[in-house]
Structure formats: C-alpha cells, structure tokens
Amino acid sequence: MTTVPPPAVGIDLGTTFSVVARLDERGQPVTLVNAEGDRVTPSVVLFDGEDVVVGKEALKAIASEAEHVAECSKRDVGHRVFHKVFDGRQFPPEVIEAWILNKLRNDAAQQIGPFGQVVITVPAYFDEVRRKATQDAGYMAGFEVLDIINEPTAAAVAFGFQQGFLDPQGSSTEPNRILVYDLGGGTFDVTVMEIRGTEFTALATDGDVRLGGYDWDQRLVDLVAESFIREHYVDPREDPSTAGKLWRECEDAKRTLSARGKASVACDYRGFSCRAEVSRQQFEEATQDLLDRTRFTTVQALKAAGLAWGDVDRVLLVGGSTRMPMVRNMLRELSGKEPDTSVAADEAVAHGAALRAGLVLARRQDQPATFTIHNVNSHSLGVVGTDPHTGRKRNGILIPRNTPLPVTAKRTFKTRKANQKSILVQIVEGESPSADDCTQIGKCTVRDLPPNLPVQSPVDVLFHYEPNGRLKVHVTVPETDRQVKTEIVRENSLCKEHMDGWRRYICHLEPTDYR
Ligand code: ADP
Ligand code: MG
C-alpha cells in the first residue's frame, strides 16, 4: 500500500491578516480559501462567552463589542500576557495566536483533509523570544511546526520560484540581489538577499516590530477625531466600540486613498455626527514621519549588507501597506528603480512558506533539496558582564547582528570575586552596550566550583547558533573541571504543562497527537 505524502502547507501568521498556502500536485504554491471563501483571514479573535470566534466576524465585532476583541496579538508576542483583559481573563499572546492558527487549520482541512505539519513565518526582525512563542503557538494549535522561517526570505523564495530560479535548468548562476521591503499591518521588515541559482542568502536584515499599516490607520483616526472634537467638543476615541468602528472606517478610507485623491469618513458618537474629508496629501503629511522611519531602516539595512543602490537588482514589495502610493514613490526616489510588484503582496509569504514545507518534507524522505536558505541573525547575542571599573552591567556581545548562520563564537569573561561558588551566565539579545537595555533570553548556572578559586579566573562562554534559531551555550571554567552545556531556557515562555493544557483546550489534542 502506498502512503499519501502529507501536504506541504505554509502559514503566514500576520499581525492583521493571515494566509494559508499549500503546494499542489505539480509543486506550485496555491492559496487556500477559508470557510468564508476569502484568501486572507483577519488575525482577530472574539471572545464571545464560551465561544471563540476568529476572522471576519471577529473583526466586525470591533465596532460593537470592542472589549471582547483581540486584534494585533502578534504585536504583543514576547510579552507574558496580551495587553487587554477579557472578562477578567488575560491570555498569553501566543495562546491568542494559537486560536487563529486553529481556525486556519480547520478551514484548510475542509479542502485538503486533516494535516498536522506546517511551516510558519515570522518577521525577520523577530527576536528569539518571539520566534519561540510563535513555535509554541503552532504547538498549541495542534501542529508539528516543521520550521519557522523569515517572512522576507519566504517572499524571496516565492519570487525566485516565480522567476524560474528553483528550476535547476532555469536557474541562473548570476547573483540577483534583491531588497525585500515588507510593510504589513503591524510590522516592518527589510532584508537584503542574494539569490544565486537555488541558493537564497540573507545579507542583512533590519526592521521594526511595532510599525505597520495600523499606525497609518491611527493617524487617520486622530485626524477625524480632532475634527470631531472641533465641532462637538467630545472625543469619539474615549468609547472603545466607537473607536473600533472609527478605526475600521479609517482603514477602509486608507485603502481608498491608495486609489483616489480623497476619501471621507463618517463618525457618530453621543448623538453627534461628523463627516470628515481627507485628501491624500493631508494623509501623507500626517504619516510622513512613519514613512521616514522605514526609509531610514532601509538605508541602514543596505549599509549593513555592504551594498549601494547600484548593486541592487530589484526592490521587491511585500505586505498590504506597500500599496500606498507614498511607499512606492519614496522607494523609487530612494533607489532610482521602479519597485517590483510582481509577487502578490498578501500571498507571497505564505507561498514561500509552502515551498519551504515541501522542501523539509522532501528531505525527510531523502529527496534532494531544491533550494537552500542561508540566514543571518537579526539581533546581537551576548552575555551580561560587569564592568570592573564602574560596576555597571554590560552586554558582552558574542555574535553581532547580521552574522551568517550557523556560527560558533567564544568569549572569555573573568570571575568577579575570590572563592566564587557558582557563576550565573545571563544571555541577552540586543544592540545596547548596557545590559539593562537588552532582553534577557535565558540563563544557566555553573555550580559547585572548587574552593579557593582566585578572583579573575577565566570563564569561557561558547555560543553555537543554528539557522533554526536554537542557541546552544557551553560554559567552561578552564582551571577547573566544571562545565555546563545547555540549550537555553527562554524567559517568559510557557511551560510544557501549560502548553499541553492549552493544546487540549483549543484543539482537543493530546501532546503526542497530531492531526
Ligand atoms: P500583516 O502580514 O502584518 O498582517 P499584510 O501584509 O496582510 O499585513 O497587510 C495588511 C495591511 O495592509 C493592513 O494595515 C491594511 O490596511 C493594509 N492594506 C491593504 N491593502 C491596502 C491598500 N490598498 N492601501 C493601503 N493599505 C492597504
Ligand atoms: Mg505579513
């Protein structure tokens, strides 16, 4: 009996919209529609008593019962809990994401049958904690997460596929350098990639996990609210459901402004009403600083890749917010090139994820790889040390950002006191020289040091960082036989029992079951 291979499925778990794609029989990525018949699903969750509703209906509910709606949960990933409380309950953001994934899985299963394996994408600029939380969301939604890959890389893979690069006959050995500018609903990511034949290499990445279309919406909300206040002396933003409705209207008006020179937004509150007309120019002026932030980050990424605009073959636009004319105009002026819109802005990331899933599944069956991905780390990784002169906590960086992965790095620190009994190694992620401004992502302790260890004894810390984001840490105290090897335990992440509990609750699966 021949067994049917599992489908290769990729999920773009977006801040505002999510997309699922699979590879068809010919290996072509195709987007799957959800139960409502749409290709994109709002990443919005409504807590309706005991019921949890995800997607379009949850998005609609923002206008009437905003206090029960969780939107943009991806922005809070990495924090212990989502910022809003629902009926006295607070959820970890990755649990909210698990509900979204669960809906995506159930809807997709209607078309392709039950499946359990998936590749999920994350912004390239996501740090370790956020990557791990995303992986956990997949687990709690009943998946085996084959891989977590970067959204711009996925978009570049989809682009490469479309250009015929993944076809061994069609692939060129000439390097193609592309800058992927991904402005979505809640995050901004810019990555410089080199495509050489079937090899995809990230050269540098930068971004902002709290900048996206949502911020453009809020500026429109403010414009309308201010004109409402001028007329009626009350602020419609003070009521959550009115603010929610206004936000939806403004998001719609923003889309109109991508196609037309003006749009109008109606707002009703406490028996007053107002219709504000906004021109594209007014909108662009009100959001210029947001655009400038992306411009600045883009220039930084290019510099980090060691390239000039003349070295870049294409500027690839990804993410729904790149439909705004101001984005295209800025990039055209900055790069001297016409931005490339050949990939579907909302679907390319999911398509790349499906291609990646196909690759991982093929490898499991000992089939040759059709393409390879080389990554860089998006944040510096280091260890907390103490400055002997000032006593301040410093970030002793072992792996600077944008280092090609995998990488092994070693650095020697010194013990602080004579006769030290144990050494605490705190692992941090971030660019600041001050450890307090970095994120602690884990720690390990070397215990039972032999007595009479002199002050300033060397302690070697070795990091091995894999492209899949796993960090192995090896600490040795050369003058003793003490050492610790550990894969770091991340702070703020849910423990296994809690995750298993959520997995049972959300999708009724036991820890070892996969669909
Ligand atoms: P994410 O992956 O972060 O969820 P997407 O790439 O799906 O985001 O993009 C969603 C964002 O794109 C939303 O903020 C949405 O308002 C915006 N968007 C979609 N279409 C348009 C358009 N025509 N003009 C301006 N913004 C748009
Ligand atoms: Mg996206």
Side-chain angles (χ1 to χ4, degrees):
M1 195 181 89
T2 53
T3 52
V4 184
V9 181
I11 297 184
D12 169 9
L13 180 60
T15 313
T16 49
F17 292 99
S18 296
V19 183
V20 186
R22 72 166 297 198
L23 297 188
D24 68 10
E25 315 72 49
R26 291 169 303 142
Q28 297 268 354
V30 286
T31 303
L32 296 175
V33 296
N34 63 16
E36 293 77 38
D38 299 323
R39 300 161 81 80
V40 299
T41 302
S43 305
V44 182
V45 179
L46 164 70
F47 296 100
D48 184 11
E50 281 306 295
D51 289 336
V52 178
V53 179
V54 178
K56 204 187 216 166
E57 290 307 315
L59 179 62
K60 278 194 207 155
I62 286 187
S64 51
E65 36 185 324
E67 68 281 14
H68 296 134
V69 178
E71 84 271 25
C72 290
S73 54
K74 185 169 171 179
R75 277 200 165 185
D76 283 5
V77 163
H79 295 219
R80 212 174 53 74
V81 287
F82 184 67
H83 67 273
K84 256 162 116 173
V85 185
F86 302 99
D87 286 330
R89 293 185 299 172
Q90 249 187 324
F91 301 105
E94 60 267 44
V95 169
I96 298 175
E97 295 219 289
W99 264 302
I100 299 168
L101 288 170
N102 186 51
K103 143 105 177 154
L104 299 175
R105 189 184 46 143
N106 288 335
D107 287 6
Q110 295 290 320
Q111 296 159 66
I112 61 172
F115 65 100
Q117 291 160 320
V118 72
V119 167
I120 303 177
T121 61
V122 291
Y125 204 61
F126 250 26
D127 61 18
E128 269 324 290
V129 179
R130 293 182 167 98
R131 281 167 200 269
K132 170 70 167 51
T134 305
Q135 180 146 26
D136 292 347
Y139 177 78
M140 290 185 281
F143 285 120
E144 178 198 349
V145 180
L146 296 170
D147 202 2
I148 296 279
I149 69 164
N150 291 343
E151 286 158 12
T153 308
V157 168
F159 170 75
F161 179 84
Q162 192 178 291
Q163 299 282 318
F165 294 167
L166 302 194
D167 177 358
Q169 272 86 47
S171 74
S172 73
T173 44
E174 285 292 301
N176 236 290
R177 298 212 183 92
I178 64 176
L179 182 134
V180 185
Y181 176 103
D182 178 355
L183 187 62
T187 53
F188 171 61
D189 236 348
V190 55
T191 295
V192 185
M193 306 237 12
E194 186 174 84
I195 309 178
R196 197 183 279 267
T198 56
E199 296 217 355
F200 292 75
T201 306
L203 302 177
T205 191
D206 208 327
D208 193 329
V209 290
R210 296 186 82 85
L211 179 63
Y214 190 74
D215 301 289
W216 268 259
D217 303 341
Q218 291 308 323
R219 293 290 168 85
L220 261 186
V221 168
D222 294 344
L223 276 183
V224 178
E226 280 153 21
S227 100
F228 197 95
I229 295 169
R230 272 196 305 274
E231 268 183 50
H232 305 298
Y233 307 101
V234 281
D235 187 344
R237 291 167 298 190
E238 66 196 18
D239 169 58
S241 290
T242 309
K245 184 153 187 279
L246 183 55
W247 168 55
R248 288 205 57 199
E249 296 263 338
C250 287
E251 201 259 353
D252 201 46
K254 178 185 72 174
R255 292 179 190 238
T256 303
L257 288 172
S258 293
R260 302 185 49 185
K262 61 182 191 318
S264 76
V265 181
C267 180
D268 303 298
Y269 181 50
R270 290 218 215 145
F272 299 114
S273 62
C274 138
R275 177 167 283 280
E277 189 141 296
V278 185
S279 70
R280 186 187 288 168
Q281 194 187 342
Q282 274 175 310
F283 173 59
E284 292 185 349
E285 278 165 15
T287 53
Q288 186 62 40
D289 60 309
L290 302 172
L291 186 72
D292 286 345
R293 275 162 66 189
T294 75
R295 179 195 171 106
F296 177 78
T297 308
T298 304
V299 171
Q300 292 286 103
L302 193 65
K303 217 189 272 171
L307 300 180
W309 284 111
D311 306 317
V312 174
D313 299 298
R314 276 170 211 263
V315 176
L316 190 66
L317 296 187
V318 185
S321 299
T322 59
R323 295 206 177 89
M324 291 188 290
M326 67 193 295
V327 168
R328 298 177 180 199
N329 295 341
M330 180 276 283
L331 286 169
R332 189 180 303 117
E333 182 252 319
L334 182 65
S335 69
K337 290 173 220 305
E338 188 56 35
D340 187 319
T341 53
S342 62
V343 295
D346 319 281
E347 297 168 57
V349 170
H351 287 191
L355 287 161
R356 174 71 186 165
L359 181 78
V360 178
L361 292 171
R363 275 226 220 103
R364 286 192 174 178
Q365 297 180 345
D366 291 326
Q367 289 166 9
T370 43
F371 64 95
T372 45
I373 294 174
H374 304 285
N375 247 328
V376 292
N377 61 330
S378 51
H379 299 265
S380 301
L381 289 165
V383 159
V384 179
T386 308
D387 186 319
H389 306 297
T390 62
R392 290 226 176 92
K393 300 262 180 245
R394 310 303 286 172
N395 171 14
I397 292 178
L398 273 87
I399 306 177
R401 63 192 289 200
N402 288 324
T403 304
L405 304 179
V407 61
T408 302
K410 189 173 111 170
R411 191 161 162 170
T412 304
F413 296 84
K414 301 274 171 57
T415 56
R416 259 195 308 156
K417 297 179 292 201
N419 204 9
Q420 208 166 309
K421 294 282 183 301
S422 66
I423 300 162
L424 172 66
V425 179
Q426 291 165 288
I427 298 134
V428 285
E429 189 168 60
E431 313 310 318
S432 168
S434 159
D436 291 337
D437 297 332
C438 297
T439 315
Q440 179 163 327
I441 58 168
K443 59 183 173 211
C444 59
T445 311
V446 189
R447 291 179 209 285
D448 302 327
L449 292 172
N452 306 325
L453 193 69
V455 65
Q456 299 271 302
S457 295
V459 179
D460 290 339
V461 178
L462 188 129
F463 278 6
H464 181 72
Y465 195 46
E466 290 283 343
N468 66 7
R470 289 289 90 89
L471 177 67
K472 293 203 174 97
V473 184
H474 190 177
V475 186
T476 44
V477 188
E479 282 158 26
T480 72
D481 59 354
R482 289 280 145 226
Q483 53 169 301
V484 208
K485 267 190 197 168
T486 170
E487 195 164 306
I488 60 160
V489 181
R490 286 163 180 79
E491 310 277 307
N492 263 353
S493 80
L494 291 172
C495 66
K496 180 82 169 65
E497 291 79 55
H498 282 162
M499 285 208 283
D500 287 343
W502 283 115
R503 190 177 157 100
R504 279 189 204 102
Y505 187 68
I506 293 170
C507 55
H508 317 293
L509 284 183
E510 289 305 312
T512 50
D513 293 343
Y514 290 101
R515 299 254 167 182

